[in-house]
Amino acid sequence: MTPNAIDTVVNAARAIRQHPSPVIDADTHIADIRRAPEDTRGRYTRCFEYFHGRPNSAEDLIAEMDLSGVHMALSWQDPASTVYEGDQDRNAEVLVAANRYVLESARRYPGRIIPAGWTDPRACGVANAVRIVEICVREFGFFIIKMNPAQNGYFIHSREVTAVVDRIVELGAVPAFHFGADSPFTPASGLERLLLRHPNQAFLAVHMGGGGCSYKEGEVLAVEARRLGLRFPQLRYVLSSKRDAHMETDLILYQKAGRPFSENLFCASDAPYGRVSWNFGGFRQMLRTLEIRHPDIFSADCSANFLGRNFARFALQGLEQLLRVQGVTAPAWQ
């Protein structure tokens, strides 16, 4: 790892450790508005109407976090704002630039943004996707690397995705996926195959079977995702872009299951596709009602875990693992 990459890891860990009970949004997207197409920049400047692909800058995110009582956010690039150029090599450079913006934003706002990477074997090709992983880990210091099989058009257990996952694991990082019922490409059986392939490796599955699907489409995968997670303690889920009734059930059943499962769910907004304010307002109220309705298993302490402490523990473990695998023996934040 480069010295700058090590600094990224150490700074993230130090920032997390500063908060005894942090509130962390575990799924946000940010984009460099300067790189957006001219018409998109114009709509962003002149129009309040939401549109898919509306850029969400680091400054936009921080402002919303401040208004919502959110201390930190896990951030990665925004695929709807990343405009590919057609050629795999050029697409790879576009995606590297999008990842670099996340890194630069974390440096501009220390202690607020926990940076994570993104790679794409579909648009960039497998060789370039692996190279992007190596840049994100060794040069940028990202401990999580995400793929979106729904966007990529590959099954989550395909040879292309598996090859990239293997390299992520080899480098000591955590593989993350868009995992939703909005496409046929992320079945629970496919994620299970990856979990069995790397039985001692943490995985992060974002949306826990939701991901912008309709109620009918999401019903089956929501149940399968919950059952899968309660069989595999290495699997962590991000609760974002999912039907609230199912998220409430997730919280209840995971809390009833006890540790380590009760530590494996993280609240999130999927900003800008969801509002930080709306989602964290909803999570706080939902958890408060669970404290009242189920005082035998829920407490304010449990709520604080789901709102950020669970992710903080997971992140510190992941950051330490990354340094260890990369041969960096001095955890300077301790």
Side-chain angles (χ1 to χ4, degrees):
M1 296 180 77
T2 65
N4 284 338
I6 296 171
D7 285 345
T8 299
V9 174
V10 171
N11 290 339
R14 282 177 173 163
I16 293 168
R17 290 168 66 91
Q18 286 177 356
H19 292 281
S21 188
V23 177
I24 302 175
D25 189 332
D27 176 23
T28 67
H29 304 265
I30 54 177
D32 187 349
I33 293 172
R34 297 168 301 177
R35 298 180 63 90
E38 184 176 350
D39 61 335
T40 299
R41 293 199 306 273
R43 292 180 71 188
Y44 169 85
T45 302
R46 297 188 303 269
C47 177
F48 288 104
E49 185 177 15
Y50 174 78
F51 58 90
H52 187 69
R54 181 184 181 91
N56 185 48
S57 69
E59 290 72 26
D60 293 332
L61 176 63
I62 296 292
E64 181 82 357
M65 290 164 60
D66 287 344
L67 291 169
S68 308
V70 174
H71 301 120
M72 309 178 75
L74 180 73
S75 295
W76 27 46
Q77 68 100 27
D78 181 1
S81 299
T82 300
V83 180
Y84 288 133
E85 299 181 0
D87 174 83
Q88 287 187 340
D89 291 338
R90 287 185 295 172
N91 290 348
E93 295 311 308
V94 168
L95 188 51
V96 168
N99 281 308
R100 184 175 289 109
Y101 175 76
V102 175
L103 173 65
E104 292 170 349
S105 298
R107 290 174 175 168
R108 283 201 311 277
Y109 299 101
R112 305 305 306 278
I113 291 175
I114 304 168
W118 193 293
T119 194
D120 185 343
R122 171 78 174 197
C124 304
V126 173
N128 280 328
V130 169
R131 181 173 64 86
I132 292 169
V133 169
E134 293 168 350
I135 291 170
C136 285
V137 172
R138 289 175 167 166
E139 296 183 24
F140 295 171
F142 294 168
F143 80 104
I144 298 174
I145 311 295
K146 184 180 177 183
M147 283 182 279
N148 187 337
Q151 173 200 25
N152 296 166
Y154 286 155
F155 278 99
I156 193 171
H157 54 284
S158 67
R159 287 184 303 167
E160 296 86 352
V161 172
T162 300
V164 180
V165 168
D166 289 350
R167 187 56 176 152
I168 294 171
V169 173
E170 185 179 16
L171 290 171
V174 175
F177 292 98
H178 172 107
F179 179 65
D182 51 336
S183 82
F185 296 113
T186 57
S189 59
L191 180 55
E192 180 178 7
R193 287 169 67 169
L194 293 178
L195 295 169
L196 292 170
R197 183 179 179 88
H198 295 285
N200 299 313
Q201 171 65 43
F203 280 77
L204 186 63
V206 182
H207 311 313
M208 200 176 177
C213 59
S214 72
Y215 283 2
K216 182 177 180 181
E217 291 169 330
E219 196 72 19
V220 173
L221 189 55
V223 174
E224 291 179 347
R226 192 154 52 235
R227 292 174 178 170
L228 184 68
L230 290 171
R231 287 175 48 218
F232 290 89
Q234 76 204 81
L235 177 58
R236 274 73 165 192
Y237 280 126
V238 173
L239 294 178
S240 63
S241 188
K242 186 178 182 181
R243 188 177 175 186
D244 51 358
H246 275 294
M247 290 195 290
E248 181 184 59
T249 303
D250 297 333
L251 291 165
I252 293 170
L253 294 184
Y254 270 66
Q255 187 63 27
K256 284 177 64 68
R259 297 176 63 188
F261 301 102
S262 60
E263 298 182 344
N264 287 355
L265 299 184
F266 314 139
C267 293
S269 69
D270 196 23
Y273 307 103
R275 300 296 301 178
V276 179
S277 56
W278 175 273
N279 282 276
F280 275 81
F283 279 125
R284 286 185 175 103
Q285 289 301 106
M286 179 185 290
L287 288 163
R288 178 59 184 147
T289 63
L290 292 177
E291 293 171 26
I292 295 169
R293 288 164 45 207
H294 304 284
D296 54 326
I297 59 171
F298 277 91
S299 65
D301 195 59
C302 299
S303 297
N305 287 335
F306 291 119
L307 288 169
R309 290 200 308 220
N310 282 351
F311 185 82
R313 283 188 286 264
F314 165 72
L316 288 172
Q317 292 168 2
L319 292 163
E320 291 171 2
Q321 173 182 286
L322 182 61
L323 290 184
R324 184 171 60 252
V325 172
Q326 289 294 314
V328 179
T329 57
W333 60 83
Q334 293 183 351

